[in-house]
């Protein structure tokens, strides 16, 4: 079993616990009359569940999971439809079911199931992988169906899952020219969505610092609204961190940043632990990525193991880097958690499960 | 692929280095501003007083509730709804609106909540995260006189106006501007200059204290207070007399032109606008068949009727169409003007030989038809213009129409055939002409004071509440180039109207006056319009009044009692309880405008 990956998961969990404990003060003040410990307990519980998932999935043969992946994917797609109908509103969009204190986001299941099933399809179609109609198109149909259903409510997650599965296909020897086709479609779709939603357009405008849609109501309505504000506050967090940081629990920007415990946890880490802390966090994700690609995937006992390992690695590290990119202002503002670090329900469990799968594949590695 | 990964990783690390090490100073500078919030401090809009210092408009606090959706606890919807006296669904709807615009920023979700609601929410604020309250100002109208059209209403600035050079840069979304009346004409002075305040904001975005003890703050400069020439008592009297009527009354200082009363009926309640008008109220006031928003006092054009005869008399004397003495000083009235065989140009009586004074006293149509026959239409228009007819008055009332004084080119455009008969009608103030009550008031003031045309104006002076700076608005009246002797003849004719003619019922006990009734023909077979102009006292008049009552019959029926009561109230400071006053009150109150036919 790959010890490095296991340690990375544990250290990420530990850093996350520290950072979330520090960052969650205001939410606690608002929702639980200042009972920060309650949220700490909640976070640690969820982390525990995630680690259990990690353990369980590291025991279960990934081939067994792969066999059921189609059912799992269909099931989570059904859940996505249900959440559209019955779900609760969370941060502007309907994304989740409530189960007690845990809000269940079916998109978290869907993305894991999709990665597993795309791996299965890639293996199955390796014989004629160069044939677009027979091999590539069926894969894309599944991917697009899932991405659209996720994208109805959460565009950034959908985009990320799309990119991750495209990369998987690239690993699975799908021709680059075939990948360009859906890539182009996505660019068109993205532009359409920007034009369709002033909120999204404003985010991109805030990011670029220009008024792209000056003729519309967009700029007037969202002038210095959330997006520009968040980016500015995150920037301050980084600057205040400096080289060595303010020190654990001493973040100031947690009170100016929206959702510091979730979408901007990287900024909090950077503020409290400085450049060194931030680089260390990036380092952990790099280790995970390198081990995932270079060791686990390469040493996988069969093509299925290779594709699944690559898929899980891509998805987790993509989350990590996109989150870091958003927080540091390299990418436009979107709400993506940092796997195993951010305060969050099912996304953490999903991350745990994927690392579990990675570990399972590494256990069966051929020497 | 690995190359791509390492390049991206390198980019990220580089970005971190840039942010955390190189760009540190910049952002630390920014972060100082982070705990500071710069607020715009709105100045107090100026108050408005009448000529005796009676407060007519001032400000009162207006309470609004803001929502910050991200921090709002969804379990508290019912609590907030109960405090506000609305249903849960309303609160949820406002939450959704607020979220759509910025979920981490407060949105102004409930305007103008009552003081009770405000204080209940304030008590519960600690239980209501994401809820905050804002105290701003709205207009309050404490006077017994509504003076809606004179004072004017205020409204939130529109988007297109924000881009207008008139407002841009100095106004922001949500600011208030005057739309009509004094509020509009004196917007720049009333508004004042917004200030800036820097507040230290705590970690939850709540303001704690001024920054650096407020040293960097720029205080707001309040607007000028306005002192009107208006007499709220006279204004209120006019308003009370116009029950069941459409029409307008304008009373001005006969020497200076200061507007003592300006009323347009029906009027509307300024309070519906004071804190942002509700859609329902706007539709009601804007679609009312009697058009309450329309300022009849300065915009209603109708023929002046016989009140016009003073002007025609002056023109005729001045141009020699008739003389004051000698062989050419009378016209014979047989009950009609001979042109048209006596059937078309009829008089109300058989007056016999009439000179100017008697023709005015008897309102003799035959005489003035003859003047119309003798006159040249271009001259007619020139004299009408001398009195300010057919043009906008130089005044601080922005809502105006110029009225209509025809000339030959107008008739050429309007009619295939026109001739002397068309022009003769103008001699008695009927036909194709339109004058506004405001113009009539200037005109009768000029007759009363012997030839000085005053500039009517609502505002007497502006005074700044803090600096004491005062701006007087005292335009010089214009001398009308007509011999004073002719004015005295016409003035005397107007006095005879009050003492011996159709104005008898409108005399003011103890005060000699001059006046003239008018009956303007209304189109469509409706009841005539009742018109009356007067000045008082006869010597050195202080007040000039013009009243129009739409579709309310002859001039002596409705307009005359209203005008003379207003003048009496102004000159005596109160209305004495006398039989003469009661008689006029009774007449004025029972007169009615014939209702407009349904459209």
């Amino acid at each position: 079993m790959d010890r490095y990956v296991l340690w990375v998961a544990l250290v990420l969990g530990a850093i996350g616990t520290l950072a979330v404990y520090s960052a969650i003060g205001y939410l606690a003040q608002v929702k639980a009359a200042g009972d920060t410990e309650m949220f700490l307990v909640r976070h640690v519980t969820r982390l525990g569940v995630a680690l259990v998932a990690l353990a369980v999935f590291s025991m279960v043969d990934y081939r067994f999971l792969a066999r059921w992946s189609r059912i799992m994917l269909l099931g989570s797609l059904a859940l996505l439809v249900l959440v559209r109908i019955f779900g609760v509103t969370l941060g502007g969009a309907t994304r989740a079911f409530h189960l007690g204190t845990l809000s269940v986001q079916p998109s978290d299941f869907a993305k894991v199931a999709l990665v597993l099933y795309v791996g299965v399809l890639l293996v199955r179609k390796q014989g004629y992988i160069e044939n677009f109609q027979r091999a590539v198109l069926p894969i894309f149909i599944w991917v697009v169906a899932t991405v659209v259903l996720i994208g109805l409510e959460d565009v950034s997650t959908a985009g990320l899952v799309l990119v991750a599965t495209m990369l998987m296909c690239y690993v699975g020897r799908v021709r680059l020219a075939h990948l360009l086709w859906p890539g182009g479609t996505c660019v068109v779709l993205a532009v359409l969505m920007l034009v369709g939603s002033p909120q999204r357009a404003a985010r991109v405008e805030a990011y670029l610092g220009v008024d792209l849609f000056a003729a519309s109501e967009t700029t007037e309505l969202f002038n210095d609204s959330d997006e520009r504000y968040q980016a500015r506050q995150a920037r301050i967090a980084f600057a205040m961190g400096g080289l060595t940081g303010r020190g654990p629990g001493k973040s100031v920007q947690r009170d100016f940043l929206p959702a510091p415990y979730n979408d901007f946890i990287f900024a909090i880490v950077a503020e409290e632990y400085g450049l060194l802390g931030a680089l260390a966090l990036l380092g952990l994700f790099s280790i995970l990525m390198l081990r995932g690609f270079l060791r686990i995937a390469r040493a996988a006992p069969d093509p299925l193991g290779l594709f699944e390992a690559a898929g899980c690695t891509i998805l987790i590290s993509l989350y990590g880097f996109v989150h870091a990119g958003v927080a540091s202002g390299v990418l436009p503002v979107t709400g993506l958690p940092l796997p195993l670090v951010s305060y969050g329900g099912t996304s953490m469990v999903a991350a745990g499960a994927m690392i579990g799968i990675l570990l399972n594949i590494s256990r069966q590695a051929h020497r | 692929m690995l190359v791509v990964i390492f390049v991206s990783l390198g980019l990220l690390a580089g970005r971190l280095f840039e942010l955390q090490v190189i760009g540190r100073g910049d952002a630390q500078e920014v972060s100082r501003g982070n705990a500071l919030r710069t607020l715009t401090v709105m100045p107090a809009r100026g108050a408005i007083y009448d000529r005796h210092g009676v407060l007519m408009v001032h400000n009162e606090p207006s309470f609004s509730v803001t929502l910050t959706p991200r921090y709002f606890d969804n379990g508290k919807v019912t609590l907030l709804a109960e405090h506000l006296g609305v249903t849960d669904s309303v609160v949820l709807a406002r939450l959704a609106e607020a979220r759509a615009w910025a979920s981490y920023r407060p949105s102004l979700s409930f305007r103008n909540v009552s003081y009770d609601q405000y204080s209940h929410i304030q008590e519960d604020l600690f239980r209501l995260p994401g809820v905050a309250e804002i105290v701003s100002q709205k207009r309050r109208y404490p006077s017994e006189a509504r003076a809606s059209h004179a004072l004017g209403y205020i409204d939130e600035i529109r988007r297109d106006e924000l881009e207008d050079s008139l407002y841009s840069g100095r106004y922001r979304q949500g600011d208030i501007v005057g739309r009509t009346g004094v509020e509009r004409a004196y917007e720049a002075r009333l508004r004042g200059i917004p200030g800036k305040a820097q507040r230290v904001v705590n970690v939850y975005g709540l303001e704690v204290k001024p920054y650096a003890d407020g040293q960097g703050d720029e205080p707001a400069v309040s607007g000028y207070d306005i002192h009107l020439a208006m007499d709220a008592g006279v204004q209120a009297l006019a308003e009370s007399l116009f029950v069941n009527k459409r029409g307008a009354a304008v009373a001005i200082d006969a020497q200076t032109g200061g507007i003592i009363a300006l009323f347009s009926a029906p009027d509307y309640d300024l309070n519906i606008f004071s804190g942002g008008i509700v859609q329902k109220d706007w539709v009601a006031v804007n679609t009312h068949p009697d058009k309450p928003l329309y300022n009849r006092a300065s915009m209603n054009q109708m023929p002046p009727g016989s009140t016009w005869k003073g002007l025609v008399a002056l023109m005729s004397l001045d141009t020699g169409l008739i003389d004051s003495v000698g062989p050419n000083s009378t016209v014979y009235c047989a009950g009609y003007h001979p042109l048209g065989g006596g059937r078309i140009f009829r008089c109300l009586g058989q007056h016999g030989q009439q000179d100017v004074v008697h023709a005015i006293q008897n309102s003799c149509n035959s005489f003035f038809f003859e003047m119309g026959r003798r006159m040249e239409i271009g001259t007619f228009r020139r004299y009408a213009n001398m009195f300010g007819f057919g043009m906008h008055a130089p005044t601080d009332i922005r809502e105006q129409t110029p009225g209509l004084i025809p000339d030959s080119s107008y008739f050429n455009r309007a009619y295939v055939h026109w001739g002397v008969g068309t022009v003769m009608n103008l001699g008695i103030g009927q036909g194709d002409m339109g004058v506004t009550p405001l113009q009539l008031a200037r005109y009768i003031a000029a007759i009363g004071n012997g030839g000085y045309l005053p500039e009517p104006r609502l505002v007497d002076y502006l005074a700044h509440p803090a600096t004491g700076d005062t701006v007087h608005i005292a335009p010089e009246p214009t001398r009308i180039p007509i011999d004073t002797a002719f004015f005295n003849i016409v003035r005397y004719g107007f006095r005879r109207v009050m003492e011996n003619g159709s104005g008898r019922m409108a005399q003011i006990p103890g005060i000699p006056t001059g006046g003239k009734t008018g009956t303007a023909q209304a189109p469509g077979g409706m009841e005539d319009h009742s018109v009356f102009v007067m000045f008082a006292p006869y010597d050195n008049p202080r007040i000039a009044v013009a009243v129009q009552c739409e579709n309310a019959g002859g001039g002596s029926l409705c307009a005359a009692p209203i005008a003379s009561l207003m003048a009496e109230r102004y000159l005596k400071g109160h209305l004495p309880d006398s039989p003469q006053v009661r008689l006029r009150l009774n007449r004025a109150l029972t007169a009615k405008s014939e209702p407009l036919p349904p459209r």
Side-chain angles (χ1 to χ4, degrees):
Chain A
M1 184 157 82
D2 195 306
R3 299 238 163 111
Y4 291 95
V5 171
L6 182 61
W7 276 110
V8 164
L10 293 176
V11 174
L12 282 178
I15 293 177
T17 308
L18 278 176
V20 166
Y21 186 35
S22 160
I24 208 143
Y26 185 61
L27 186 71
Q29 169 113 354
V30 169
K31 304 270 178 180
D35 188 358
T36 314
E37 279 65 31
M38 190 188 100
F39 283 90
L40 178 65
V41 170
R42 214 180 261 181
H43 180 74
V44 171
T45 314
R46 290 173 183 184
L47 185 61
V49 174
L51 291 178
V52 169
L54 186 149
V56 168
F57 279 84
S58 71
M59 312 276 198
V60 179
D61 189 352
Y62 66 91
R63 296 180 195 85
F64 174 79
L65 285 177
R67 222 169 295 143
W68 288 92
S69 60
R70 186 191 171 103
I71 306 290
M72 283 158 53
L73 183 56
L74 283 171
S76 41
L77 291 186
L79 275 180
L80 276 172
V81 174
L82 283 179
V83 84
R84 177 95 185 145
I85 304 170
F86 301 111
V88 296
T89 305
L90 198 87
T94 316
R95 291 179 185 169
F97 288 119
H98 268 308
L99 287 180
T101 58
L102 193 71
S103 64
V104 177
Q105 299 198 22
S107 61
D108 288 323
F109 300 131
K111 68 194 183 199
V112 179
L114 183 69
V115 164
L116 287 174
Y117 191 54
V118 168
V120 172
L121 288 176
L122 280 172
V123 172
R124 200 180 289 163
K125 300 184 187 296
Q126 273 307 307
Y128 42 88
I129 196 72
E130 309 249 302
N131 184 321
F132 184 79
Q133 287 211 344
R134 280 183 71 197
V136 185
L137 198 59
I139 298 179
F140 283 167
I141 288 172
W142 282 101
V143 170
V144 167
T146 314
V147 163
V148 165
L149 274 175
I150 296 177
L152 283 178
E153 305 299 353
D154 185 351
V155 180
S156 41
T157 300
L160 201 129
V161 169
L162 182 74
V163 173
T165 43
M166 289 299 109
L167 286 173
M168 262 185 96
C169 289
Y170 176 71
V171 173
R173 303 202 301 132
V174 172
R175 285 174 59 181
L176 205 56
H178 291 163
L179 288 176
L180 288 178
W181 179 81
T185 320
C186 290
V187 170
V188 172
L189 263 179
V191 170
L192 281 180
M193 295 186 111
L194 280 184
V195 174
S197 153
Q199 217 171 339
R200 278 184 210 122
R203 283 185 188 177
V204 175
E205 283 179 352
Y207 168 62
L208 295 175
V210 292
D211 292 348
L212 277 181
F213 306 93
S216 69
E217 293 179 15
T218 313
T219 34
E220 203 170 331
L221 226 74
F222 291 92
N223 232 343
D224 200 32
S225 67
D226 282 1
E227 281 68 35
R228 227 169 272 187
Y229 173 79
Q230 295 175 8
R232 200 174 69 231
Q233 298 303 339
R235 203 194 166 106
I236 293 169
F238 280 96
M240 297 319 278
L243 190 63
T244 52
R246 286 179 190 265
K250 292 194 177 149
S251 167
V252 169
Q253 286 305 107
R254 61 187 174 201
D255 296 316
F256 294 101
L257 269 171
Y261 43 84
N262 194 339
D263 302 348
F264 283 95
I265 196 79
F266 187 68
I268 300 298
V269 171
E271 188 188 4
E272 295 194 348
Y273 306 97
L275 178 63
L276 298 180
L279 284 180
L281 202 53
L282 280 184
L284 286 172
F285 277 96
S286 305
I287 293 173
L288 192 125
M289 188 172 64
L290 293 177
R291 295 299 300 187
F293 277 135
L294 301 181
R295 284 298 164 91
I296 303 177
R298 274 193 187 171
D302 51 14
L304 181 66
L306 189 154
F307 296 149
E308 306 291 34
C312 291
T313 308
I314 288 168
L315 195 58
I316 295 175
S317 34
L318 209 53
Y319 257 100
F321 295 134
V322 171
H323 176 102
V326 167
S328 56
V330 180
L331 299 170
V333 173
T334 66
L336 288 173
L338 191 59
L340 290 175
V341 179
S342 283
Y343 178 82
T346 40
S347 71
M348 195 148 63
V349 180
M354 282 190 289
I355 292 179
I357 294 168
L358 262 183
L359 290 177
N360 182 265
I361 298 168
S362 77
R363 278 172 55 162
Q364 308 191 32
H366 61 79
R367 297 285 147 192
Chain B
M1 187 155 177
L2 271 178
V3 176
V4 175
I5 291 167
F6 280 112
V7 168
S8 343
L9 259 179
L11 269 178
L12 257 180
R15 172 71 176 171
L16 289 181
F17 189 74
E18 177 201 336
L19 281 178
Q20 302 203 264
V21 181
I22 302 170
R24 224 183 148 198
D26 292 353
Q28 277 179 334
E29 193 60 38
V30 178
S31 90
R32 203 158 300 136
N34 201 24
L36 281 183
R37 183 178 293 167
T38 305
L39 304 171
T40 304
V41 183
M42 288 313 288
R45 198 175 172 85
I48 303 179
Y49 301 89
D50 91 334
R51 66 162 51 211
H52 303 300
V54 175
L55 185 59
M56 298 191 76
V57 186
H58 68 136
N59 304 309
E60 67 178 0
S62 151
F63 307 102
S64 303
V65 174
T66 67
L67 295 178
T68 310
R70 191 63 186 87
Y71 300 136
F72 188 77
D73 180 350
N74 285 320
K76 300 291 169 62
V77 169
T78 310
L79 179 65
L80 184 61
E82 258 172 38
H83 281 321
L84 288 168
V86 297
T87 58
D88 288 12
S89 58
V90 174
V91 174
L92 288 171
R94 297 292 160 83
L95 261 177
E97 285 166 18
R99 195 177 288 119
W101 120 256
S103 67
Y104 292 100
R105 291 301 182 82
S107 291
L108 195 53
S109 294
F110 298 93
R111 286 168 181 274
N112 285 315
V113 303
S114 73
Y115 182 71
D116 275 359
Q117 292 167 340
Y118 166 79
S119 26
H120 281 133
I121 293 171
Q122 193 163 49
E123 279 173 23
D124 258 358
L125 269 187
F126 74 99
R127 285 205 272 168
L128 290 165
V131 176
E133 295 184 312
I134 293 182
V135 182
S136 53
Q137 293 178 339
K138 67 174 181 180
R139 287 306 231 183
R140 204 174 102 77
Y141 305 93
S143 146
E144 57 172 334
R146 310 212 307 177
S148 335
H149 299 91
L151 297 172
Y153 66 86
I154 48 152
D155 192 14
E156 207 171 280
I157 195 162
R158 288 190 308 261
R159 276 223 175 123
D160 56 308
E161 288 174 323
L162 279 172
E163 285 154 25
D164 192 328
S165 59
L166 188 63
Y167 299 104
S168 69
R170 297 181 298 121
Y171 287 75
R172 298 176 315 154
Q173 190 86 42
D175 279 2
I176 292 296
V177 287
R179 278 263 174 271
T180 60
V182 171
E183 299 267 20
R184 173 187 180 196
Y186 295 86
E187 168 68 24
R189 297 271 191 183
L190 275 171
R191 182 176 189 241
I193 304 163
K196 286 201 172 77
Q198 291 185 307
R199 295 288 153 76
V200 177
V201 184
N202 77 359
V203 292
Y204 304 126
L206 300 173
E207 290 157 25
V208 204
K209 57 172 188 182
Y211 172 66
D213 294 327
Q215 281 172 10
D217 294 0
E218 297 166 23
V221 181
S222 14
Y224 279 76
D225 287 342
I226 284 184
H227 294 261
L228 298 176
M230 179 174 283
D231 184 318
V234 178
Q235 174 76 20
L237 173 70
E239 291 173 8
S240 69
L241 295 178
F242 264 94
V243 285
N244 297 324
K245 296 173 197 66
R246 297 181 307 281
V250 177
I252 64 176
D253 185 308
Q255 308 293 337
T256 67
I259 293 175
I260 294 160
L262 182 135
F263 181 63
S264 171
D267 65 347
Y268 58 94
D269 185 357
L270 286 172
N271 285 299
I272 61 175
F273 288 97
S274 66
I277 188 160
V278 191
Q279 182 67 17
K280 178 174 64 91
D281 289 340
W282 172 251
V283 169
V285 78
N286 199 31
T287 60
H288 193 286
D290 289 345
K291 298 186 183 165
L293 291 176
Y294 178 61
N295 188 351
R296 288 171 160 80
S298 52
M299 300 180 84
N300 217 18
Q301 316 178 33
M302 53 171 72
S306 301
T307 58
W308 195 244
K309 287 171 180 167
L311 188 143
V312 175
L314 278 165
M315 175 194 68
S316 305
L317 287 166
D318 199 44
T319 55
L321 302 182
I322 191 112
D323 294 336
S324 48
V325 287
N328 183 32
S329 66
T330 59
V331 169
Y332 181 76
C333 168
Y336 54 87
H337 187 277
L339 202 81
R343 283 188 301 279
I344 305 173
F345 302 108
R346 302 177 73 92
C347 192
L348 296 170
Q350 293 182 25
H351 297 120
Q353 289 292 344
Q354 295 279 293
D355 63 5
V356 172
V357 169
H358 282 91
I360 292 175
Q361 175 190 327
N362 298 326
S363 200
C364 177
N365 283 353
S366 305
F367 181 94
F368 286 100
F369 278 137
E370 177 60 20
M371 295 304 112
R373 193 188 65 77
R374 291 178 189 176
M375 79 189 182
E376 194 271 315
I377 180 124
T379 313
F380 166 80
R381 188 173 149 109
R382 189 159 59 80
Y383 274 81
N385 289 349
M386 278 184 203
F387 286 84
F389 292 108
M391 58 179 72
H392 287 283
T395 170
D396 49 13
I397 301 169
R398 299 285 177 84
E399 300 77 29
Q400 275 197 65
T401 47
L404 169 69
I405 299 298
D407 57 9
S408 49
S409 75
Y410 168 84
F411 283 128
N412 286 337
R413 265 180 284 127
Y415 299 105
V416 182
H417 300 293
W418 64 280
V420 67
T422 317
V423 181
M424 278 169 69
N425 249 329
L426 301 177
I428 63 162
Q430 306 287 5
D432 280 15
M433 52 191 296
V435 303
T436 67
L438 185 70
Q439 288 171 343
L440 280 177
R442 290 181 86 192
Y443 153 71
I444 188 62
I447 288 183
N449 66 29
Y452 294 90
L453 187 68
E455 292 189 10
R457 61 202 153 63
L458 287 161
V459 173
D460 191 9
Y461 66 97
L462 301 111
H464 198 275
T467 63
D469 179 32
T470 320
V471 183
H472 279 276
I473 299 179
E476 280 294 306
T478 319
R479 172 69 212 183
I480 295 170
I482 297 176
D483 197 331
T484 313
F486 297 146
F487 269 105
N488 283 334
I489 294 171
V490 173
R491 268 166 52 80
Y492 183 63
F494 275 46
R495 179 169 182 165
R496 296 291 294 265
V497 170
M498 297 304 282
E499 288 170 356
N500 256 319
S502 57
R504 278 192 313 279
M505 292 297 295
Q507 288 183 80
I508 300 172
I511 301 178
T513 57
K516 185 74 195 80
T517 59
T519 305
Q521 288 159 5
M526 300 262 305
E527 189 77 55
D528 291 334
H529 304 306
S530 170
V531 189
F532 191 72
V533 294
M534 74 179 289
F535 58 90
Y538 181 72
D539 294 311
N540 293 317
R542 292 168 52 206
I543 183 170
V545 194
V547 176
Q548 280 178 347
C549 300
E550 290 177 27
N551 311 112
S556 60
L557 293 177
C558 175
I562 292 178
S564 88
L565 284 166
M566 286 169 68
E568 184 165 3
R569 169 74 177 76
Y570 178 68
L571 295 173
K572 295 182 175 169
H574 68 286
L575 276 186
D577 185 19
S578 67
Q580 291 95 329
V581 166
R582 259 178 272 140
L583 183 70
R584 275 177 286 153
L585 276 175
N586 190 35
R587 276 208 173 192
L589 289 170
T590 49
K592 267 185 201 161
S593 287
E594 183 188 350
L596 290 171
R599 273 177 297 180

